[in-house]
Amino acid sequence: MPQKLVFWLLDINYDVESKTPVVNMWGLTEDGKKVLVKDYSFRPYFYVLPKMGVDLSKAVKDIKLLEDPAEPIISIDLVDKKYFGKPVKAIKVTCLIPQSVPSYREKIGRLSWVEDVLEADIRFYMRYLIDNGVNPCDWHEVEVEEEKVPPGFELDAVYRALSRPQPILKDEPPPLKVLSFDIECYNKAGSPVAQRDPIIIISLVANGESKVMTANDHDDSSLLKEFVEYIQKFDPDIISGYNSNHFDWPYIQARAKLHGVKLKVSRELTEPHQSVYGHISIVGRANIDLYDYAEDLMDVKIKTLENVADYLGVMPKDKRILIDYIDIASYWDDPSKRDLLKRYAEEDAVSAYGITMEVLPFAIQLSRLTGVPLDQVLAASVGFRVEWYLMRVAYREGELVPNRVERKYEPYRGGLVLKPKEGLHENIAVLDFSAMYPHLMIKYNIGFDTYVPPEESCNPDECYVAPEVGHRFRTHPPSLYRKALEKLLELRKAIRDEMKKLDPKDPYYILLDNRQRAVKTMTNAMYGYLGWTGARFYLKPCAEATAAYGRQTIMKTIKMAKEMGLNVIYGDTDSIFVKYDESKVRAFIERVEKELGLEIKLEKIYKVCFFTEAAKKYAGLTIDGRIDVVGFEAVRGDWCSLAQEVQSKVLELILVKKNVQAAINYVKDVINKVRSGKVDIKDLVIWKTLSKSLDEYEVEAAHVQAARQLLAAGHRLEVGDKIGFVVVKGASEKISGRVKPYIFASMDEIDKEYYARKQIAALALRILKYFGVSEEQLLTGVKQASLFDFLRR
DNA sequence: AACTGTGGCCTGTCGA
DNA sequence: TCGACAGGCCACAGTT
């Protein structure tokens, strides 16, 4: 009997059942039921773009001739589409099953009259989502007929769709069952090897309750079975782990294979499998790797689970058990320590669960907005998220999606950065354009579909000409980028208006806040997408013109500021720093908005602000007494923490106390402590990322040398790992010749003079030299610096 | 996703 | 052969 079903889309995949493709929508209902909605009515297709002037009826016949009866073509239709904004006749070829698409693409692509075969590489279920306006992580209504639940499926009901799902207005996701897990391996000799080392603990938290499962000494076969059974019984909607896509799941898979254990953890009791963007898919559930999210947390320099959990306030580092990864095996083997190890594992799972609860609301909104399924959206890079969003816009506009092609890297000129006026300044206003690039793209209708190539003519009043670069864009119709951006900006405004009516503690407010953050992220990423040579919609002039308009805008802005008597101290891309004068600044903001048609905002005011001669580096004391440190080594992860601390403290003494002598004394004191070894070696560690494999390095950098030592000692290293090393005494002239991984080093071998000079004094002097302090002054003697008036007026 | 910019250190080159 | 210098490699941060 037909009925209406309302469901929230959690996961999507497809199957082929007796030569019919079926889209499986794994959903949840309002009353918490797990359902599967099967749509048998959608067919895969792609487009063939004929060359100019080709006889289309002959073209259609040619395609028909290529048909393989074993893989039927359902229809061949002539359709009107647009390609790079130009109207084109395309041939839409619809097949019976998705598997036939690649071979037809190949065969048809070889026909002489074919310009290109398009959209043949879009995965079937993504095609379904785009064409039907169905969104992951959103509510839909669909007409259905109930079917039997197939044996082995973990579901409350299965339905056959009788209509296409329609999105309905409903925001709150259903209650989701979340399971986070972590594994510990028996790694006696360096890094664990799946073929050799068993899993000894699987700890997990399911809807807030933790559980620690253990191996039978060194036998993990029953542990694996227990884990599978637990997942089946708890039946989570969300499964998460930390680095689980690249470590836990592959490890579990390898161990399970060894023992012949079937990992029937999906909702159709199939095993996890590798999918797009390097993520692991578990059908019917959303498997999320929290590391994908951690990568975006710029403030966490070393992205271990405990650091991320600490940063998010989920599990404070000083209130939990931490066991060095090297000691895990010995803890397991020592009966008196095994419980401690179990607690450690439990706390890891609790951390993972806590992070999941922080991330999930945002991931849900990002998935809903971009149309990328929840289990993929964090794994997908920014470019792909933007691209899927644009593909939906393109579909609605009848614009054909270009193929993915490999292009060589093509740099272009970017934003304008001013040389700052060095020294101390008082009362500085920071003014910022809001979303400058997006607004410029809209204003000048920039797009691959509005671009006028040099050989083409265009009426001057019907096109915009970008400064410096001269690229032209038609003033109408609106470009695809413009449409996408207008929609995003409009959406953000609507969300923020709605938020204003709510209490910030209201759960709905928090939902909307996550939504507006997702929209903002996408808006900001659009410009970067323009310049990405891997983008389907890539056209270099778009990026070049946008950046050129940006430079023009900021130059005009600076000119206006000067004309109005504002002293411009610094500026970067879309911001200017001026000496604050309330009435002048107010008038300036009005004039900019009137003359440039762009919104500029008074972002903040610094009571005191310090610049060196270098761009992208400054420190400012805000009205509420905080210190912003931008670009200085104190906020960079590649200096030892002691030197960073010294630089921060010096900045504070200068900005707040305005006391140079106190700063000198302080630095000298630290240098003395370093020289006498009265510092913690941990504060001398320098961390650097291994950005490629060791043999790819052209020079012997310090961290590369340290990495080689780690490798020789049996540590497993991967690209992206952070190498922590210290500089030690030795014969070598080169720093790289006398580094040691910090775990091998002791205080007495530290090259204390290196730290005194090249780390501590160097960073202090970065600031103090502007106040007449010399290196010698910090490193030797007790010479008193003369106090002088260092304020610029 | 892009470019801009800083700055350490390595390494090749050039002049003495 | 040695030291100084310059250019390049490298990592990272900041702006969008």
Side-chain angles (χ1 to χ4, degrees):
Chain A
M1 236 212 325
Q3 53 176 301
K4 288 230 190 263
L5 175 78
V6 170
F7 74 102
W8 190 84
L9 183 58
L10 174 69
D11 190 32
I12 185 162
N13 71 337
Y14 79 91
D15 262 329
V16 175
E17 290 177 10
S18 56
K19 294 243 168 181
T20 301
V22 44
V23 174
N24 294 323
M25 286 172 277
W26 304 82
L28 300 162
T29 63
E30 288 165 299
D31 53 356
K33 295 235 166 65
K34 298 155 288 175
V35 296
L36 171 60
V37 179
K38 303 175 75 140
D39 194 334
Y40 292 83
S41 67
F42 193 67
R43 297 291 175 269
Y45 66 87
F46 58 89
Y47 295 102
V48 183
L49 194 65
K51 284 180 181 158
M52 286 277 261
V54 167
D55 177 355
L56 294 171
S57 57
K58 183 189 171 287
V60 170
K61 276 184 204 141
D62 278 356
I63 296 176
K64 271 193 186 131
L65 285 174
L66 289 174
E67 183 173 3
D68 173 357
E71 297 192 58
I73 291 176
I74 293 175
S75 62
I76 305 173
D77 306 295
L78 284 178
V79 289
D80 288 306
K81 302 290 277 187
K82 283 180 280 175
Y83 194 47
F84 286 90
K86 292 230 162 59
V88 290
K89 287 267 182 223
I91 304 165
K92 181 178 176 182
V93 181
T94 308
C95 304
L96 185 59
I97 54 166
Q99 284 85 338
S100 347
V101 171
S103 61
Y104 279 121
R105 176 197 193 171
E106 183 83 1
K107 278 195 272 185
I108 294 171
R110 281 200 294 264
L111 294 171
S112 63
W113 53 266
V114 171
E115 178 74 41
D116 221 339
V117 180
L118 299 170
E119 307 198 17
D121 57 348
I122 296 170
R123 287 183 299 284
F124 184 57
Y125 60 87
M126 290 305 283
R127 180 87 270 171
Y128 182 91
L129 292 178
I130 291 171
D131 290 20
N132 298 300
V134 174
N135 299 317
C137 297
D138 205 359
W139 291 97
H140 301 80
E141 188 177 68
V142 60
E143 212 159 313
V144 291
E145 195 169 61
E146 188 155 4
E147 287 189 343
K148 265 223 196 98
V149 177
F153 277 49
E154 297 204 7
L155 292 165
D156 294 312
V158 174
Y159 301 95
R160 168 193 281 263
L162 302 176
S163 68
R164 292 288 159 74
Q166 297 295 319
I168 55 167
L169 278 176
K170 186 170 159 66
D171 288 309
E172 293 289 347
L176 296 165
K177 289 165 93 178
V178 178
L179 183 148
S180 304
F181 77 102
D182 189 44
I183 67 172
E184 305 301 335
C185 303
Y186 186 83
N187 55 329
K188 197 148 205 173
S191 308
V193 177
Q195 291 305 309
R196 177 191 67 200
D197 305 318
I199 299 168
I200 44 181
I201 302 174
I202 299 179
S203 54
L204 57 86
V205 176
N207 269 10
E209 248 172 76
S210 64
K211 181 164 177 66
V212 178
M213 302 170 176
T214 51
N216 199 348
D217 216 10
H218 291 173
D219 176 7
D220 53 4
S221 63
S222 60
L223 171 62
L224 289 164
K225 283 179 203 143
E226 191 186 353
F227 182 54
V228 172
E229 278 161 25
Y230 192 97
I231 292 176
Q232 288 174 3
K233 193 161 147 280
F234 178 69
D235 190 22
D237 303 307
I238 313 287
I239 300 182
S240 67
Y242 195 80
N243 202 21
S244 54
N245 281 340
H246 299 104
F247 179 72
D248 301 55
W249 280 118
Y251 205 94
I252 289 171
Q253 282 175 314
R255 294 300 298 175
K257 196 172 168 201
L258 218 62
H259 290 299
V261 174
K262 283 266 172 283
L263 293 172
K264 296 183 188 172
V265 292
S266 85
R267 281 204 161 127
E268 48 178 30
L269 298 189
T270 51
E271 303 206 45
H273 64 273
Q274 179 86 37
S275 181
V276 284
Y277 316 125
H279 97 287
I280 302 243
S281 173
I282 298 174
V283 176
R285 314 185 196 278
N287 176 47
I288 290 171
D289 187 341
L290 304 167
Y291 190 78
D292 291 326
Y293 177 74
E295 277 183 315
D296 296 339
L297 298 174
M298 291 309 166
D299 292 346
V300 186
K301 306 286 177 197
I302 302 188
K303 292 173 170 55
T304 55
L305 172 59
E306 64 265 21
N307 285 357
V308 174
D310 183 74
Y311 172 78
L312 294 173
V314 161
M315 169 78 71
K317 227 171 150 180
D318 53 5
K319 283 185 187 132
R320 61 160 298 178
I321 298 159
L322 287 170
I323 295 175
D324 223 340
Y325 156 84
I326 303 158
D327 302 326
I328 287 175
S330 64
Y331 272 66
W332 181 250
D333 289 335
D334 182 343
S336 70
K337 284 184 173 168
R338 195 177 271 198
D339 274 346
L340 217 55
L341 182 64
K342 281 160 76 175
R343 269 181 54 203
Y344 162 76
E346 183 181 357
E347 287 179 348
D348 271 357
V350 171
S351 301
Y353 183 80
I355 296 168
T356 307
M357 295 326 245
E358 289 288 316
V359 175
L360 198 54
F362 178 68
I364 285 171
Q365 294 305 323
L366 199 59
S367 165
R368 182 177 172 275
L369 178 69
T370 58
V372 179
L374 180 58
D375 61 342
Q376 299 175 20
V377 74
L378 292 181
S381 61
V382 178
F384 287 108
R385 292 177 200 162
V386 171
E387 192 148 278
W388 285 113
Y389 181 82
L390 287 173
M391 280 162 73
R392 287 188 180 235
V393 182
Y395 178 80
R396 288 200 296 271
E397 299 298 326
E399 180 75 39
L400 290 167
V401 177
N403 286 322
R404 190 163 285 293
V405 284
E406 268 201 46
R407 300 183 188 88
K408 61 175 198 310
Y409 172 61
E410 292 188 275
Y412 61 92
R413 268 185 73 201
L416 188 76
V417 186
L418 296 188
K419 275 257 167 285
K421 293 189 175 158
E422 61 184 69
L424 272 188
H425 304 275
E426 281 188 313
N427 233 355
I428 298 299
V430 182
L431 296 136
D432 234 322
F433 281 102
S434 11
M436 184 177 79
Y437 284 153
H439 280 114
L440 289 172
M441 288 167 70
I442 290 171
K443 189 174 174 189
Y444 299 105
N445 206 27
I446 288 164
F448 59 88
D449 47 349
T450 48
Y451 175 64
V452 184
E455 67 274 12
E456 227 170 88
S457 67
C458 185
N459 204 331
D461 54 326
E462 281 177 2
C463 64
Y464 298 111
V465 184
E468 296 179 61
V469 291
H471 303 312
R472 295 172 301 163
F473 297 90
R474 259 178 268 282
T475 55
H476 59 88
S479 74
L480 193 97
Y481 285 138
R482 176 172 169 179
K483 285 198 168 125
L485 285 167
E486 276 173 342
K487 176 111 190 160
L488 286 169
L489 291 169
E490 207 175 281
L491 197 58
R492 180 134 187 268
K493 191 178 176 306
I495 298 166
R496 285 167 48 121
D497 285 348
E498 183 70 27
M499 285 169 72
K500 279 181 199 147
K501 298 179 205 154
L502 298 166
D503 181 337
K505 286 195 200 84
D506 189 328
Y508 188 49
Y509 180 96
I510 295 164
L511 183 147
L512 290 178
D513 188 45
N514 278 298
R515 184 172 293 171
Q516 70 86 16
R517 267 174 53 217
V519 176
K520 189 183 178 184
T521 312
M522 291 293 291
T523 312
N524 288 344
M526 201 66 78
Y527 162 71
Y529 179 83
L530 289 185
W532 177 38
T533 51
R536 286 177 187 265
F537 296 107
Y538 175 75
L539 193 66
K540 193 184 175 191
C542 293
E544 238 172 2
T546 305
Y549 275 120
R551 292 191 295 272
Q552 186 191 49
T553 302
I554 198 72
M555 282 190 295
K556 281 184 181 170
T557 308
I558 292 163
K559 193 163 160 262
M560 267 186 241
K562 285 180 179 164
E563 278 168 15
M564 298 180 78
L566 288 164
N567 185 10
V568 180
I569 307 298
Y570 175 64
D572 183 351
T573 314
D574 77 327
S575 69
I576 63 167
F577 290 53
V578 298
K579 184 89 183 171
Y580 186 50
D581 175 324
E582 202 186 331
S583 60
K584 277 187 192 168
V585 164
R586 203 183 306 128
F588 170 70
I589 289 172
E590 271 174 36
R591 183 171 162 200
V592 169
E593 291 182 5
K594 192 166 145 252
E595 289 184 25
L596 299 180
L598 295 167
E599 188 190 35
I600 194 165
K601 273 190 186 150
L602 176 57
E603 186 71 22
K604 60 174 89 190
I605 295 164
Y606 288 123
K607 279 198 276 195
V608 189
C609 195
F610 172 74
F611 283 92
T612 69
E613 79 290 352
K616 293 188 186 280
K617 281 185 152 191
Y618 60 86
L621 176 65
T622 62
I623 298 291
D624 49 352
R626 285 182 315 103
I627 295 177
D628 283 346
V629 179
V630 176
F632 276 110
E633 291 77 359
V635 293
R636 293 175 61 101
D638 51 355
W639 289 83
C640 77
S641 62
L642 184 64
Q644 291 188 298
E645 197 188 313
V646 167
Q647 195 180 50
S648 300
K649 185 86 184 165
V650 168
L651 281 169
E652 190 193 322
L653 287 168
I654 296 293
L655 291 172
V656 183
K657 301 267 192 319
K658 297 183 178 155
N659 191 335
V660 178
Q661 191 55 49
I664 295 170
N665 294 342
Y666 163 74
V667 177
K668 288 173 85 102
D669 187 47
V670 176
I671 286 173
N672 284 337
K673 278 187 186 144
V674 169
R675 283 177 167 155
S676 54
K678 282 185 209 145
V679 291
D680 190 341
I681 192 165
K682 281 216 160 69
D683 294 329
L684 301 179
V685 179
I686 298 162
W687 293 91
K688 278 201 169 132
T689 308
L690 211 58
S691 63
K692 47 192 167 187
S693 64
L694 288 179
D695 48 331
E696 284 176 88
Y697 279 93
E698 290 182 39
V699 291
E700 287 304 322
H703 70 302
V704 178
Q705 282 300 334
R708 288 193 204 287
Q709 293 175 48
L710 284 169
L711 207 64
H715 288 256
R716 196 180 58 181
L717 291 175
E718 272 164 50
V719 171
D721 284 349
K722 283 248 196 273
I723 311 294
F725 64 90
V726 289
V727 178
V728 294
K729 286 177 276 199
S732 175
E733 287 277 302
K734 288 182 281 191
I735 302 298
S736 62
R738 44 195 176 85
V739 294
K740 253 194 180 185
Y742 84 99
I743 46 171
F744 302 156
S746 66
M747 198 60 209
D748 48 303
E749 45 185 343
I750 292 290
D751 181 349
K752 300 185 179 77
E753 276 314 297
Y754 171 82
Y755 281 94
R757 284 175 68 96
K758 299 286 190 171
Q759 293 273 322
I760 313 297
L763 295 203
L765 278 168
R766 207 77 86 210
I767 294 121
L768 292 176
K769 76 171 180 197
Y770 294 90
F771 302 95
V773 180
S774 69
E775 184 187 26
E776 211 184 18
Q777 233 174 310
L778 296 177
L779 289 167
T780 59
V782 283
K783 204 177 95 195
Q784 186 84 15
S786 63
L787 280 171
F788 58 97
D789 188 7
F790 47 80
L791 270 182
R792 284 177 177 254
R793 303 203 189 270

